[in-house]
Amino acid sequence: MFPRGGQVAQNIVDEWLCLRNGENWTQELLGSIVDTFPQVLEHYVLGYDPYSVELEKRLKPGELEKQMSDSGAKMWYPTVLLNLEVKKALPVEGVKWLFVRLQAKQIKNGRFDLEIIVMDAEGDLVALSHHVCFAVDSARNLAVRRKDGVAKL
């Protein structure tokens, strides 16, 4: 769930997460939470906030997804480094909701740094994660692979 009024800045994505199947978030799922997120850079690449609630209201159901799939993936954001610091143990039974803030710290020369903050519904810090990622043309990921076994950087 994204903020109704939009994101607070172009380099930040705030979201509240709950599992669609009704299960709770548990300690074991924290790694998944910090490695599966909306791409902050899409706002820069597309020229608009693809996670805007207002945009969703203006378009017909499925229209945004169609526009994005028709244009194809322009960028690929492979993770080079990811760390996770767990600051608070979740209850054994888990929690229904977690708040996540992603913030791009630096975007430069085809790389970007992300800080991810995970908090519980009471506002307590649950986890911190930092990522270093590449931002490259999606053709790098979709290209036909070499078959001669020779690696090329």
Side-chain angles (χ1 to χ4, degrees):
M1 186 178 334
F2 298 111
R4 288 187 187 116
Q7 300 298 339
V8 296
Q10 191 173 14
N11 67 320
I12 294 175
V13 173
D14 288 338
E15 61 181 345
W16 281 95
L17 300 177
C18 72
L19 290 168
R20 184 176 290 187
N21 65 5
E23 293 180 14
N24 287 340
W25 292 110
T26 61
Q27 203 72 22
E28 296 79 16
L29 294 173
L30 287 175
S32 175
I33 291 168
V34 301
D35 199 29
T36 308
F37 47 82
Q39 292 297 337
V40 175
L41 268 58
E42 291 299 306
H43 195 147
Y44 296 95
V45 172
L46 297 171
Y48 60 87
D49 179 4
Y51 311 110
S52 165
V53 174
E54 288 303 314
L55 179 64
E56 195 173 313
K57 287 180 186 176
R58 287 195 307 260
L59 298 174
K60 295 175 187 165
E63 191 173 344
L64 179 60
E65 292 83 358
K66 182 174 177 2
Q67 285 178 7
M68 291 178 79
S69 68
D70 286 351
S71 66
K74 294 178 178 25
M75 299 294 289
W76 177 41
Y77 310 108
T79 301
V80 178
L81 172 77
L82 177 157
N83 72 8
L84 172 63
E85 299 174 53
V86 177
K87 300 294 189 177
K88 176 185 177 183
L90 294 174
V92 174
E93 67 277 6
V95 296
K96 184 78 172 167
W97 289 94
L98 288 172
F99 173 81
V100 178
R101 169 170 276 187
L102 295 86
Q103 183 172 6
K105 296 295 191 174
Q106 181 174 13
I107 304 167
K108 187 176 182 180
N109 297 329
R111 293 174 70 140
F112 65 99
D113 299 290
L114 276 181
E115 176 185 59
I116 300 173
I117 300 169
V118 181
M119 294 190 289
D120 62 19
E122 288 74 40
D124 290 337
L125 183 61
V126 174
L128 292 173
S129 182
H130 295 89
H131 296 231
V132 176
C133 302
F134 286 134
V136 296
D137 190 287
S138 62
R140 295 267 308 263
N141 191 30
L142 302 172
V144 176
R145 303 292 184 233
R146 296 175 62 127
K147 294 185 180 180
D148 60 9
V150 178
K152 180 180 176 185
L153 293 178

